[in-house]
């Protein structure tokens, strides 16, 4: 199976209320003023979706989010489905079902939307590797969480995100993708230290704009 033009990518995005609470709660006003923190969280997700939709192996991006921000992602060309509001795995599941209905037979990837430094080439590299194995995954920077989950058959893609998800996904048969220099695909933003690392790797344009760069 060729990676080019094959993949549907599902990305859940929280609405502005409460988005990225761990990160935002750990930042000082000198880093991001409190009044702009929700805007920053949304900018991270918009940058990530924009990077994914232009990656060569991606034929469709499905964003699962709330009505209050759906138009922002539709403007990027993403297909939007309503977040059921019952957690991350439920959001991923809704997106995976939409992928199966709209693009039957296409491989599907479940990707976190807070990867602040990803570029299209990073997504392409990961999905080209994933095209060679039935079930793939990328762990986060700590090695305990999961940032990317892939399946050539979408019926086999069962999200088990949350604390310790890497172990659960391995037990379900997912194999770690050996991506060279994969830091951008592993760096999800949870803390102020993560933000500093993302700045060093390079933030997306919307996130930079919020920070005043």
């Amino acid at each position: 199976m060729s990676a080019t033009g094959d993949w549907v990518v599902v990305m859940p995005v929280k609405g502005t209320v409460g988005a990225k609470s761990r990160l935002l709660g750990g930042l000082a006003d000198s880093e991001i003023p409190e009044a702009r923190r929700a805007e920053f969280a949304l900018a991270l997700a918009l940058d990530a979706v924009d990077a994914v939709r232009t990656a060569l192996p991606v034929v469709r991006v499905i964003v699962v989010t709330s009505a209050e921000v759906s138009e922002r992602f539709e403007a990027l060309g993403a297909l939007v489905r309503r977040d059921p509001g019952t957690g991350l795995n439920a959001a991923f599941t809704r997106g995976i079902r939409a992928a199966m209905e709209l693009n039957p037979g296409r491989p599907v990837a479940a990707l976190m939307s807070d990867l602040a430094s990803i570029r299209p080439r990073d997504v392409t590299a990961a999905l080209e590797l994933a095209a060679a194995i039935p079930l793939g995954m990328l762990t986060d920077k700590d090695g305990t969480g999961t940032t990317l989950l892939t399946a050539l058959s979408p019926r086999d893609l069962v999200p088990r995100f949350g604390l310790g998800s890497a172990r659960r996904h391995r037990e379900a048969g997912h194999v770690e993708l050996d991506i060279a220099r994969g830091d951008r695909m592993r760096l999800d933003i949870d803390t102020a230290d993560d933000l500093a690392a993302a700045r060093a790797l390079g933030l997306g344009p919307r996130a930079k704009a919020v920070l005043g760069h």
Side-chain angles (χ1 to χ4, degrees):
M1 180 180 294
S2 170
T4 303
D6 274 342
W7 289 86
V8 179
V9 181
V10 176
M11 302 177 71
V13 178
K14 283 187 177 180
T16 55
V17 178
K20 301 308 296 176
S21 58
R22 281 188 292 169
L23 166 66
L24 304 184
L27 295 177
D29 278 350
S30 60
E31 293 171 301
I32 303 177
E34 186 173 356
R36 304 202 71 183
R37 292 180 187 181
E39 181 185 357
F40 178 70
L42 180 59
L44 288 177
L46 288 165
D47 283 337
V49 170
D50 209 10
V52 173
R53 73 176 184 84
T54 56
L56 288 178
V58 177
V59 68
R60 187 191 296 272
V61 178
I62 299 175
V63 174
V64 184
T65 191
S66 62
E68 61 184 333
V69 296
S70 61
E71 290 184 358
R72 301 289 298 275
F73 294 97
E74 289 171 343
L76 293 178
L79 176 70
V80 174
R81 287 292 182 264
R82 187 68 54 85
D83 189 340
T86 52
L88 182 60
N89 288 315
F92 270 123
T93 298
R94 175 156 292 183
I96 292 166
R97 287 175 178 169
M100 293 169 62
E101 292 170 1
L102 297 169
N103 295 89
R106 298 280 190 180
V108 177
L111 181 67
M112 297 297 289
S113 63
D114 58 353
L115 304 177
S117 299
I118 63 168
R119 302 291 185 266
R121 63 180 179 272
D122 304 313
V123 180
T124 296
L127 294 183
E128 285 178 344
L129 290 172
I133 58 175
L135 298 171
M137 64 181 287
L138 281 176
T139 54
D140 63 9
K141 72 254 179 217
D142 299 322
T144 59
T146 309
T147 59
L148 173 69
L149 202 65
T150 68
L152 297 185
S153 174
R155 294 185 181 279
D156 296 333
L157 190 59
V158 179
R160 298 172 173 86
F161 288 87
L163 188 64
S165 66
R167 175 183 56 80
R168 292 191 295 276
H169 288 139
R170 287 192 194 97
E171 290 173 350
H174 289 268
V175 177
E176 183 78 20
L177 301 175
D178 186 17
I179 181 173
R181 292 195 296 272
D183 290 349
R184 295 179 189 272
M185 291 291 290
R186 300 182 189 276
L187 183 56
D188 54 333
I189 301 297
D190 290 321
T191 68
D193 287 342
D194 296 338
L195 176 59
R199 280 171 162 167
L201 288 173
L203 289 167
R206 297 169 185 82
K208 281 183 179 179
V210 174
L211 294 179
H213 288 193

